[in-house]
Amino acid sequence: MINKKIDVASAYPFLHVISNMFVCNADCHFCYLHEHDRRTGIFDEEKQNQLLFTVEEWLKRQTADIFMLLIMGGEITLNPYILPKLQEWFERYPGLHLELTTNLATTKMEWLEFFCDDRITLKVSLNESNAADYKKTMGVDYFDLVLKNLKFLKLHRREPLLVSTVLTREHLIQDKTVAFFEFVAEVLGDTRVIVLPETSWFGEIDSFTQEEKKHALKLLETAKRFYPEGYKPFKDQMYTKIASGPKKSLVLKECPWKNNVQISDLLEVKPCCWFDKVIGNVETIEQFNKALKYKEKLNENIKRGRVLDFCLRTCGIVKDD
């Protein structure tokens, strides 16, 4: 079990996999993957096998006591190939820890039982606090099923649950995200909430009305009350634009993703999940080493004060001037 006080992205080798080969059983209006083939429900078995082979090559080379695998893209419980592989990897690599996102709209008990493993950090995309809003946001009517599955996991998992909610201007002005925090606390108890601002949201903050800013501050206070740990990074992103108080600046002293390598949805190896520098294709494992060397060079520049603007905006923290 991972010590939650340790920043896993900094402390452990971390492979971040994004795959557009996972289909989805929802049609969320905020989803940034609408254009991908996963909407067709067709799996490319050849590419899927190449992806799984490459991940296993990465796993074989890990010498750390703990190493992390993060898999994203579509709804993983619909993937017909991956569960047996994940179960096999868990038996073969005791140091493997897994991070997954799911909407949990599955009736397959083998997935629910797998999700109970302590080595899995599970994030459930719930988004809404009632069935009507869930259907409007997610495009499907799975709210009751998902809630039933969440209660099952709450009963059988020793590790805390993570549930996420998208934040849009509509959610903000109607205090829907505030209601979501309160709903989760009442129904699921000790469960952590992750707030995910819609992709374009922060770019619109400057045009917010005073009324919208008032609701944003209410949301910040609610987040702080129900989930102090998850509140801080969200506050850091919003504070300079919305909250009153001393002048703030962004700083970055070290790359928080220094042990992270990414496989993109195009099967390209990248040194970071946040920007689009491609090191090479997944055909050779050496691309992972090249990505880590690039990250080492980037981190040296950060320590010398030569910080990429993109890194600062994405991973910088707020500090009083």
Side-chain angles (χ1 to χ4, degrees):
M1 189 184 305
I2 289 180
N3 182 346
K4 297 298 181 182
K5 294 181 180 179
I6 298 176
D7 183 347
V8 293
S10 295
Y12 310 121
F14 200 133
L15 181 63
H16 179 193
V17 179
I18 296 181
S19 173
N20 67 1
M21 290 167 283
F22 300 165
V23 297
C24 194
N25 51 5
D27 190 20
C28 304
H29 69 77
F30 57 83
C31 183
Y32 59 92
L33 293 173
H34 277 282
E35 70 275 15
H36 286 311
D37 289 340
R38 69 184 183 85
R39 289 286 168 202
T40 67
I42 298 173
F43 290 94
D44 186 324
E45 186 171 1
E46 182 180 351
K47 288 184 178 179
Q48 185 70 49
N49 287 337
Q50 183 184 7
L51 177 70
L52 294 175
F53 173 80
T54 304
V55 172
E56 185 150 19
E57 288 299 298
W58 182 85
L59 292 173
K60 288 177 182 177
R61 285 159 171 76
Q62 299 313 307
T63 58
D65 292 336
I66 293 175
F67 39 96
M68 298 289 299
L69 175 62
L70 166 61
I71 303 179
M72 296 177 62
E75 175 49 47
I76 195 170
T77 61
L78 299 181
N79 188 311
Y81 310 107
I82 200 166
L83 181 57
K85 206 66 180 173
L86 292 175
Q87 292 169 327
E88 176 189 327
W89 290 342
F90 263 36
E91 289 186 15
R92 185 175 299 173
Y93 307 108
L96 173 61
H97 285 250
L98 194 61
E99 184 171 332
L100 297 172
T101 298
T102 172
N103 58 37
L104 210 61
T106 181
T107 57
K108 297 178 180 178
M109 184 55 66
E110 57 264 36
W111 271 110
L112 294 178
E113 290 174 347
F114 178 70
F115 289 152
C116 290
D117 195 294
D118 285 344
R119 289 185 287 165
I120 299 176
T121 298
L122 188 69
K123 184 170 72 177
V124 179
S125 179
L126 181 59
N127 295 302
E128 301 290 357
S129 58
N130 61 76
D133 284 337
Y134 182 95
K135 187 173 183 178
K136 180 180 176 182
T137 296
M138 306 280 282
V140 288
D141 193 13
Y142 295 143
F143 184 79
D144 291 339
L145 171 63
V146 173
L147 204 57
K148 175 184 174 183
N149 289 341
L150 277 167
K151 290 178 179 179
F152 173 87
L153 293 180
K154 183 68 180 174
L155 182 64
H156 294 283
R157 270 178 63 94
R158 288 187 295 179
E159 288 292 284
L161 283 170
L162 297 166
V163 295
S164 64
T165 179
V166 69
L167 176 62
T168 66
R169 292 182 82 159
E170 178 187 356
H171 283 80
L172 186 67
I173 199 68
Q174 295 180 13
D175 289 332
K176 287 187 176 182
T177 310
V178 170
F180 184 84
F181 271 99
E182 294 170 344
F183 168 79
V184 169
E186 179 182 352
V187 176
L188 297 173
D190 181 24
T191 300
R192 298 170 181 174
V193 175
I194 303 171
V195 179
L196 303 172
E198 198 171 31
T199 307
S200 62
W201 195 77
F202 282 121
E204 299 174 352
I205 290 179
D206 286 331
S207 65
F208 274 16
T209 65
Q210 289 301 314
E211 182 67 15
E212 287 174 318
K213 290 182 179 182
K214 182 176 74 173
H215 284 277
L217 291 173
K218 179 179 179 181
L219 172 58
L220 284 172
E221 289 305 309
T222 303
K224 184 177 181 180
R225 180 158 52 100
F226 284 104
Y227 183 24
E229 305 113 291
Y231 153 81
K232 188 182 184 306
F234 181 50
K235 164 187 169 284
D236 286 347
Q237 294 179 73
M238 292 181 67
Y239 202 88
T240 56
K241 292 286 188 178
I242 294 180
S244 59
K247 186 180 179 182
K248 305 285 178 176
S249 63
L250 288 169
V251 297
L252 183 63
K253 294 183 178 178
E254 184 177 59
C255 175
W257 297 88
K258 62 183 179 183
N259 288 315
N260 169 271
V261 177
Q262 182 196 49
I263 302 177
S264 77
D265 54 351
L266 300 176
L267 299 183
E268 297 167 332
V269 175
K270 299 181 178 182
C272 180
C273 56
W274 296 114
F275 61 96
D276 291 330
K277 180 177 178 61
V278 176
I279 299 298
N281 194 271
V282 296
E283 293 172 352
T284 64
I285 199 68
E286 288 305 312
Q287 306 302 335
F288 292 119
N289 295 330
K290 290 180 181 179
L292 287 174
K293 287 185 182 299
Y294 179 90
K295 192 68 67 68
E296 288 175 6
K297 184 177 180 180
L298 175 66
N299 211 38
E300 288 174 5
N301 285 330
I302 290 173
K303 289 180 178 178
R304 292 181 182 134
R306 304 173 195 158
V307 186
L308 292 176
D309 287 342
F310 187 86
C311 295
L312 197 60
R313 291 197 309 270
T314 307
C315 294
I317 60 171
V318 175
K319 183 180 180 182
D320 290 337
D321 285 349

